[in-house]
Each structure stands twice: as structure tokens, then as C-alpha cells.
Amino acid sequence: MASRKRTLLKAIILGDSGVGKTSLMNQYVNKKFSNQYKATIGADFLTKEVQVEDRLVTMQIWDTAGQERFQSLGVAFYRGADCCVLVYDVNVMKSFDNLDNWREEFLIQASPSDPENFPFIVLGNKVDVDGGNSRVVSEKKAKAWCASKGNIPYFETSAKEDYNVEAAFQCIAKNALRSEPEEDFYLPDTIDITNNNRLPRSSGCEC
Amino acid sequence: MERSGNGASSSSSGKEIADAASDQGSIDTSESVQEPGSSDGEAKQAMENKEDEELSRGLNEISIAKGQSDGNPNRSSSGESSGTNGAGGEEMARRVSHDGNSWVPGKRHADEDDSSESWRKHKKHFFVLSNAGKPIYSRYGDEHKLAGFSATLQAIMSFVITSGDCLQLVRAGNHQIVFLVKGPLYLVSINSTEEPYQAMKRQLELLHGQLFLILTKAVERCFAKHATFDMKTLLGGTDIVLSSLVHSFNWNFTVFLHAYACLPLPYAARQTAGAALQDIAESGVLFALLMSGYKVINMVGPRKASLHPDDLFLLSNFVSSSDSFRTTESFSPVCLPHYNPNAFVYAYVQYLTESVYLVLISTSLDSFYHLKDCRARAEMILKKSRVLGEMSRSVERGGLRVKDLSLDSQNGFTARKPDVVRENTKTLLGGPAGLWHFLYRSTYLDQYVASEFTPPLHTYAAQKKLFRAYQRIHFSMHDENGGHHKMQYRRDENYVLMYWRTSDFELYAAFDPLAEKSAAIRVSNLVCQWLRNLESEVFLLGATSFNW
């Protein structure tokens, strides 16, 4: 299939502040990593073109702020998301515990048409830190949680060492494409001339 | 955060507003013209700027480099010679657009995105995005590459919307960012063209109307069902329609006048055309239109329904922008947003001559062969009666010229001999009293007539400038401050501009900047007199069942 239409996917990255959302996105889009922490304000937006099987996909990535004071932005940001990336820090238990909240909040605010099968992905980030010695969330525990939420795909990542980042985003793009709605739902009406269903004409100058 | 839009800086030049004209009569030169100071306006402007500065803080993402160079490709230096030969203003705009080095239809600079220096320098951007932040249309650059930029716009707009308010206008230096929310569609223009906020809002509304004409309001249902809906995929192949529309924002007076223009034609010829349309309209055709470019020759519709000037404009833009309509008979679903935004009607389009086309609109998907028969019947009548030739000659001859305005205005306009006109054009610059151009809108007909652009308005740049000057006057006379004035006379380094409104008409006239006020007023009266005499030739009068 030579000329399949280009697809745009809106991906939201969620997770506690400091778990490395921006770093993951930067690694994925710009192949860059910085050790300096710079809190995201509101949201950052990046674009990346990827090839998924035979399709050319533009990923519109919404990197949101993790701080609670930005949570009110949720509705505005989550609307129309095609997929959601949940990120936690394998070295911080609280960030893992909060995944539940992030997921719930997203489903409430984005209200996707099929919440059961909405394409999430979970990333356990910072697996590089201290050679894994400071790790407090085991892979097993994380995978169990993912399984309980409808088999969410799980990836262990390191934004710093560019470990698994590409694979994780490739997976989310693929899953999002799979859950695209059918396209034949755009069906305009035709006028039935026997019903007088036209609108009254507004008067000439309304400037 | 609500920004009411009247931030146009009409304060800088010495504006003189006169309340002199009585409603019906002619302008009386003896009445004194008031010249109010502009300090009030400037103070207001300064205040707004301050507010806007605050607002624009934190908008780093979308602030656009204040490029001084004119990145707008719509300029033309090649229109130099085209002003004097016989083509309508609109035909001329088309011609300028076809000569290669100026306006090119369709998407331009498609390789650019918001990181390109050149992209940031374009003077007038238009964006359409969904309320999820997905890009739908951008005048410049590739929509997909602008996905991040779209998201930024959506984030800013949604942030304000979530708080129960609506963002209308942001000023940042010499740029203004104008927002329009239409259900799930967000429309934005970022520009440094100094057009009034109301003008930009109107242009965004027309852009929205054009999208509806192509897709209907049904797209809103799609967004309601799936917020992830990617509307861009439905707009394939329409770049040319949208770019032509945006181009028309620089030259088509319909854009701010809410009125349409007619192809000048002897009354009898127009009647004959009307009769031909009436004949087929009675056989189940919803609307029958005979057009040339954006100009109406005649049209017929159901007794109570009428075609809104905006629908007419968007439809004619749709048809005349696409070359594919020129080469073959076509049948296309279209939506007439003011008639019924929810539904498609079906348009049969066929060019009868190089410049004259027939549009037959039906509500039935199966009507192609019937409409084809109707066209054949109408075409036969038009050919037999030779009015088709008459139309072509009118297109060739062009519209009214300021030089033809004389004290002896009793002669019918279309009775002139074309070669005489050409001769005049060579020797004279400007009309009587330095009249360069006029634009006359009939209130009751929702129609306007404009004179041809002749030297010194023969370049596209000069025409665009005058268009914007008229547009500025229009909005200054139609906002809540200017609403009660009847007249405006202003002089700057470019022109003397006259605006005059009565209950019957609005007149815009441009004169040489050195023109005398009394002479300008006298000539404006003369123009109105002239147009009253020519009314039956330059306007479509209510002789058909069309009730406006």
C-alpha cells in the first residue's frame, strides 16, 4: 500500500514530578539527555515522525507537568488523546503507588469512548540509577499491577542511557493505531426538501 | 481575560469624522467637518498594550519573530501592465495569480515548520485545529510538523476556556493573535498586517464556513463521538480551495461587505439569463446560478429560501479555485452553511464559456442526469439568444472605470465601445478630481459594485493596500463607536478616503492625496448619481422569484 494516509497520534505522558517524563521525551525525540532537573511548567509539546509497519505516524507528544498544582489543566490537555504513557521511578515507591491515581484521573477527564481498552503503557524509568541497588519497585510488582489493569504493556527504561525508550514508544504507537476508530462514521445528512428544515436566513450585515 | 476586539489603532492618523450627511440627500459641502483629537484613542490603545503585555508573558512558545522583511508571497510586481486592459478587478486578481511569480494556488512552503526562520516571517498565518490540539489546517508549513505548535495553541485556548472564559485577542509587539472557537474547532490567525480585530474575526469565520461547505457540520458529531477524530484526513485535495479563500481576504470586497458583485450586463441580457434559469428551476432544482468567477450573472431559487451572500461567496470560491471544474462537467457534494449547515446538497457545475459557469444545486444524490439535461436546456436558450456572447464580452470589457465618470452620465455603461475605453486609459491617470477608485454597496440588494483598479492602483500591492484601507474604514464605521456616524473623510500620505452611508447605500471612494475636499465630495455625489443611472446594468434587480 503505497500512499496510506498519514496519521497523527496524540500521546500524553503522565506521572509524578521528577520521574523523568521530560527526559524520556527528550531522549526519544531529540536523542539528548541532561542530568539537570528542570520542572515542566504546564506542558511541553514535541513532535516526532515514526514508521509503524506500513504507516507514517506523527507522534504529538504532550509532556505534562507532574506537580499537583497543574492538575487542573487536565481536561484541557487530555481531551482527544490517542494513547497515554504512565511513568514512574523504580527508585521511588510513591511514584509507583500513584500510577493508580494518574490512570483513574486520565480516564475520568479524557473520558475515552472505550476506557477498558484504551491504550496505556507503563514505563518504569531510571533503572540505571546506582546500578539498580536503590531500586524499590520490583519488575514483578510492576508487571502484576499492569496485568490487573487489563494487561498494560510494561517497559523498564533509562532515559539517561537510552535504554528501551525507542521500543516503548514504538509499542504505544502501534497499540494506539490498533485502537483507532472506524472511519466510516463521518456521514453528513442530505436535505429532505419536503421538511422545511433549513435555517432562517440571518439578515445581511452582521458585522 | 475577555478581550473585546476593538483594539484597532485607528487613533494614529488624523481621522476626521463628519456627521454631516443627511440620510437621503447629497453631501453638502458647506457643512463643517468635525476634526476630533485622537488623544483619547491613543490612551486607550496604550492601556490595551499594557494589558496585552501581561497576557503575552509566558507565551514564548508562540511568539513569532518580528521579522521585518516581507515574507508574504502575495506581492506582485508583475501586475504593472495588467491594470489597463479590460478585465474585472477579480479577473485581474486571478491573472496576477496565474503569472507565476506571485500568488500560487495551493499549499506553499509545505516544507516549513515553526522552527523555520522563513515560516516565522510570514505576515499572516491561519491555523485550524481541533479542541484536542490536533492540527487541521495551516496556511504555511506542514500540519503534521506543526503538531507541537498546534498543541501549544490548544493548551493556551483550552486553559482559558476551562476557566469559563474565552480568549479573543493577544497582542505581542506588532503581531496580533486572533482566536475563534467554533464548537470543537479552534481557528487562529497570527499576523502583523495591522488589520482590525473584527476583520480578522470575520476572516476566521469565513474560513470556518469554507470548511463547513466542504464537510458540513457533521464533523462536529464526529468530534462528539471521538475526541481523537483527525479531521485533516477528510480535507485531502482542498488546499487549493483554502489557499484561494485566504488569498481572497486580500482583494475580495465580499469579505468585509457581506455582499456580492454582479457581472455588468445589459438589463435585457440579464433578464434573458434569468428566464433560462427560472425555466429549469421549476423542475426540482433548488438553486440555479449563472456566475463568472465570484460575480453573479443571475440566480434563481425557491420562493422563500435565499442564498446568503456568504454561501454564494464560499461556493464561488470552491468552484472557481479548482481547475478541475473548468475542464469537465462535475457533480459535487457541497454544504451551504447558512442554508443548512448539517447537510450536503449536490452541485452540478459546468463551464459554458471560458469564464462563465452554471451551478445547479439539488438535494438529491441521484440528480446528475436530470441536472445535466437542465444545463443543456439552459445552455441552448443562452446560446440562441446570444446572451452567452454578451457575457463573454462583458468579462473581456471589465467593470466600471473612474475615467468614464463624466458629467454626462446618461449613457448606459455597457453601451460603450470597448476601444474607446482603451484609448482613454492610455492618456489619463485617475478620474475626475483625482478619483482613483470607488466601492458602492446597495443596502437592499446585498450587492456591491467596485470600479476597476486603474493606475496608479495597477499593482497588486497598491490594491491590497487600498483593500485594507477600505476594510479599516468599514470596521471603524460599523463598530459601536462609529455606528452612528454617516460619513468619514480622511487624508493620509496615500489617499483621501471618503466613506458615506445613507439608508440606501454605502460608498467608499479613494482619491489622490492632493484632491480637494469639496471636489472629492462633489465627485462622490456624481458617482452615486452615475450608479443610480446604471443600476439595472451593474446589479441584479429583484426581477426573478428571488426575494432578498
Side-chain angles (χ1 to χ4, degrees):
Chain A
M1 231 187 253
S3 64
R4 273 212 80 153
K5 71 180 170 63
R6 291 165 72 193
T7 308
L8 186 120
L9 293 177
K10 174 174 175 178
I12 306 271
I13 310 187
L14 297 177
D16 281 7
S17 69
V19 297
K21 298 181 293 298
T22 303
S23 294
L24 280 165
M25 186 171 80
N26 258 327
Q27 182 57 263
Y28 176 57
V29 176
N30 300 321
K31 295 279 165 226
K32 274 183 194 150
F33 179 80
S34 160
N35 259 319
Q36 272 187 335
Y37 176 65
K38 210 170 59 185
T40 304
I41 297 174
D44 264 351
F45 311 96
L46 280 177
T47 308
K48 174 152 170 130
E49 291 206 339
V50 286
Q51 180 91 25
V52 182
E53 284 150 14
D54 63 332
R55 309 190 49 177
L56 193 58
V57 176
T58 303
M59 297 283 284
Q60 182 192 49
I61 307 171
W62 296 54
D63 171 27
T64 62
Q67 281 91 355
E68 270 178 38
R69 67 177 189 280
F70 293 115
Q71 297 317 303
S72 63
L73 296 175
V75 196
F77 288 1
Y78 301 169
R79 186 195 293 126
D82 293 283
C83 52
C84 179
V85 181
L86 300 171
V87 186
Y88 76 98
D89 179 346
V90 296
N91 308 289
V92 180
M93 184 55 78
K94 183 91 177 93
S95 71
F96 175 73
D97 292 340
N98 271 339
L99 287 184
D100 249 335
N101 299 335
W102 285 114
R103 183 176 164 277
E104 286 301 310
E105 191 62 19
F106 175 84
L107 288 176
I108 290 166
Q109 300 213 22
S111 54
S113 46
D114 184 8
E116 298 299 306
N117 295 308
F118 187 83
F120 283 101
I121 189 171
V122 172
L123 308 187
N125 194 32
K126 302 199 188 179
V127 292
D128 60 282
V129 173
D130 202 12
N133 290 327
S134 61
R135 180 167 186 148
V136 294
V137 184
S138 70
E139 183 170 0
K140 193 175 161 205
K141 187 172 178 176
K143 281 189 166 164
W145 184 84
C146 289
S148 74
K149 301 295 174 192
N151 278 324
I152 301 179
Y154 176 70
F155 285 82
E156 305 235 308
T157 57
S158 162
K160 187 178 180 180
E161 295 180 354
D162 194 14
Y163 170 69
N164 246 353
V165 177
E166 186 83 33
F169 277 95
Q170 193 71 19
C171 170
I172 190 74
K174 206 165 136 186
N175 289 354
L177 279 181
R178 200 176 298 149
S179 55
E180 256 193 324
E182 293 301 313
E183 278 170 30
D184 54 352
F185 62 91
Y186 162 72
L187 277 175
D189 301 335
T190 296
I191 295 175
D192 178 0
I193 200 149
T194 53
N195 289 335
N196 197 3
N197 61 352
R198 75 188 169 79
L199 295 182
R201 172 181 175 262
S202 54
S203 61
C205 186
E206 54 218 285
C207 37
Chain B
M1 190 101 51
E2 184 110 347
R3 304 253 153 243
S4 77
N6 186 27
S9 62
S10 53
S11 53
S12 52
S13 60
K15 180 165 80 176
E16 305 173 26
I17 295 180
D19 214 345
S22 65
D23 228 39
Q24 289 292 332
S26 58
I27 310 173
D28 184 348
T29 53
S30 68
E31 290 211 41
S32 66
V33 177
Q34 196 191 339
E35 302 191 10
S38 57
S39 55
D40 193 48
E42 271 162 6
K44 191 177 157 216
Q45 181 69 20
M47 256 174 64
E48 279 184 18
N49 285 345
K50 192 164 170 247
E51 279 173 39
D52 291 329
E53 255 171 50
E54 282 169 22
L55 194 66
S56 61
R57 232 173 272 153
L59 287 179
N60 297 342
E61 289 274 356
I62 54 167
S63 74
I64 288 194
K66 292 168 194 168
Q68 293 301 313
S69 78
D70 186 353
N72 192 330
N74 290 345
R75 287 178 311 160
S76 164
S77 52
S78 57
E80 301 285 341
S81 60
S82 58
T84 50
N85 46 31
E90 153 195 332
E91 292 311 314
M92 185 169 141
R94 282 198 65 83
R95 185 175 315 172
V96 168
S97 73
H98 280 244
D99 63 12
N101 64 354
S102 53
W103 188 69
V104 184
K107 177 74 126 192
R108 281 161 301 147
H109 309 284
D111 51 327
E112 294 176 353
D113 60 46
D114 52 328
S115 64
S116 328
E117 193 60 27
S118 52
W119 185 84
R120 289 168 173 255
K121 282 183 177 167
H122 297 305
K123 283 197 160 177
K124 198 168 172 184
H125 286 270
F126 285 94
F127 307 97
V128 184
L129 44 132
S130 76
N131 61 2
K134 293 194 177 182
I136 294 167
Y137 169 75
S138 170
R139 182 185 188 192
Y140 300 112
D142 177 83
E143 283 87 0
H144 274 228
K145 286 185 188 159
L146 291 168
F149 188 79
S150 257
T152 313
L153 289 175
Q154 189 271 349
I156 293 167
M157 294 174 80
S158 292
F159 175 72
V160 179
I161 289 167
T162 317
S163 67
D165 213 330
C166 191
L167 197 55
Q168 297 181 6
L169 170 67
V170 171
R171 273 177 207 283
N174 60 352
H175 282 83
Q176 62 172 348
I177 311 169
V178 180
F179 303 90
L180 181 68
V181 176
K182 288 280 189 184
L185 297 180
Y186 292 178
L187 298 99
V188 181
S189 174
I190 302 180
N191 61 75
S192 58
T193 54
E194 293 175 349
E195 289 170 270
Y197 164 77
Q198 293 295 346
M200 293 315 303
K201 188 176 168 215
R202 164 79 176 146
Q203 293 173 20
L204 290 175
E205 271 164 359
L206 285 170
L207 180 56
H208 179 254
Q210 190 76 73
L211 293 175
F212 268 24
L213 183 128
I214 297 165
L215 291 174
T216 80
K217 202 177 194 288
V219 290
E220 292 189 357
R221 288 204 302 274
C222 298
F223 282 109
K225 270 188 211 155
H226 299 280
T228 61
F229 177 55
D230 187 1
M231 183 171 145
K232 176 167 169 42
T233 58
L234 293 179
L235 287 171
T238 59
D239 271 340
I240 200 165
V241 179
L242 299 176
S243 72
S244 162
L245 178 77
V246 170
H247 182 56
S248 77
F249 296 162
N250 292 333
W251 67 266
N252 195 317
F253 298 116
T254 295
V255 170
F256 61 87
L257 281 184
H258 298 260
Y260 64 92
C262 290
L263 185 75
L265 214 56
Y267 180 74
R270 200 184 304 282
Q271 287 298 97
T272 307
L277 298 182
Q278 189 67 56
D279 179 48
I280 52 179
E282 274 153 19
S283 69
V285 177
L286 186 60
F287 293 107
L289 306 107
L290 199 55
M291 315 257 319
S292 173
Y294 293 78
K295 289 183 180 156
V296 172
I297 294 163
N298 210 325
M299 55 182 171
V300 168
R303 197 158 306 182
K304 280 175 194 156
S306 52
L307 209 48
H308 191 280
D310 285 356
D311 284 357
L312 194 57
F313 170 59
L314 297 171
L315 178 67
S316 56
N317 180 62
F318 180 73
V319 173
S320 59
S321 63
S322 319
D323 276 342
S324 48
F325 284 117
R326 276 165 216 281
T327 47
T328 174
E329 62 181 339
S330 313
F331 190 64
S332 168
V334 292
C335 166
L336 302 170
H338 285 88
Y339 178 72
N340 185 333
N342 291 303
F344 270 140
V345 290
Y346 300 90
Y348 172 95
V349 181
Q350 166 87 5
Y351 273 78
L352 304 181
T353 71
E354 203 178 307
S355 53
V356 173
Y357 62 88
L358 181 68
V359 183
L360 303 175
I361 290 172
S362 160
T363 56
S364 163
L365 183 54
D366 310 317
S367 55
F368 176 79
Y369 289 103
H370 174 60
L371 297 181
K372 188 181 167 73
D373 290 346
C374 288
R375 186 267 302 159
R377 216 158 71 218
E379 190 173 12
M380 196 185 68
I381 298 173
L382 294 173
K383 272 188 177 147
K384 262 190 185 164
S385 58
R386 302 187 180 194
V387 286
L388 215 47
E390 195 109 42
M391 292 167 201
S392 296
R393 278 193 295 282
S394 171
V395 172
E396 171 68 21
R397 193 167 49 222
L400 303 181
R401 284 180 166 70
V402 289
K403 281 164 219 66
D404 300 327
L405 174 65
S406 69
L407 291 165
D408 175 31
S409 55
Q410 298 307 307
N411 292 329
F413 161 67
T414 40
R416 295 169 309 149
K417 289 190 181 112
D419 50 337
V420 176
V421 177
R422 293 233 169 84
E423 198 117 6
N424 282 345
T425 318
K426 277 178 197 158
T427 50
L428 289 170
L429 279 190
L435 176 66
W436 284 359
H437 188 264
F438 64 81
L439 173 62
Y440 176 100
R441 180 191 195 280
S442 161
T443 311
Y444 298 117
L445 298 172
D446 281 337
Q447 293 172 40
Y448 73 87
V449 58
S451 67
E452 289 293 310
F453 288 116
T454 46
L457 299 171
H458 52 298
T459 66
Y460 178 65
Q463 291 158 21
K464 188 161 82 172
K465 197 163 164 185
L466 180 63
F467 178 89
R468 295 208 174 135
Y470 281 163
Q471 180 177 255
R472 183 166 287 274
I473 283 205
H474 172 89
F475 285 103
S476 77
M477 295 304 286
H478 289 83
D479 68 13
E480 59 265 40
N481 299 325
H484 59 283
H485 292 293
K486 299 282 180 239
M487 207 182 148
Q488 190 175 143
Y489 174 91
R490 63 192 292 163
R491 184 197 297 273
D492 61 23
E493 68 275 23
N494 302 307
Y495 330 94
V496 164
L497 286 180
M498 283 273 306
Y499 172 89
W500 180 27
R501 161 168 67 194
T502 74
S503 57
D504 293 333
F505 65 83
E506 285 176 277
L507 176 74
Y508 303 74
F511 293 86
D512 188 287
L514 298 176
E516 279 179 37
K517 188 189 285 175
S518 58
I521 289 172
R522 190 167 40 83
V523 166
S524 294
N525 276 316
L526 206 58
V527 169
C528 294
Q529 183 56 47
W530 192 36
L531 292 174
R532 270 193 285 274
N533 293 339
L534 295 176
E535 201 173 53
S536 64
E537 295 180 31
V538 295
F539 290 131
L540 168 61
L541 300 177
T544 66
S545 67
F546 228 84
N547 256 332
W548 287 91

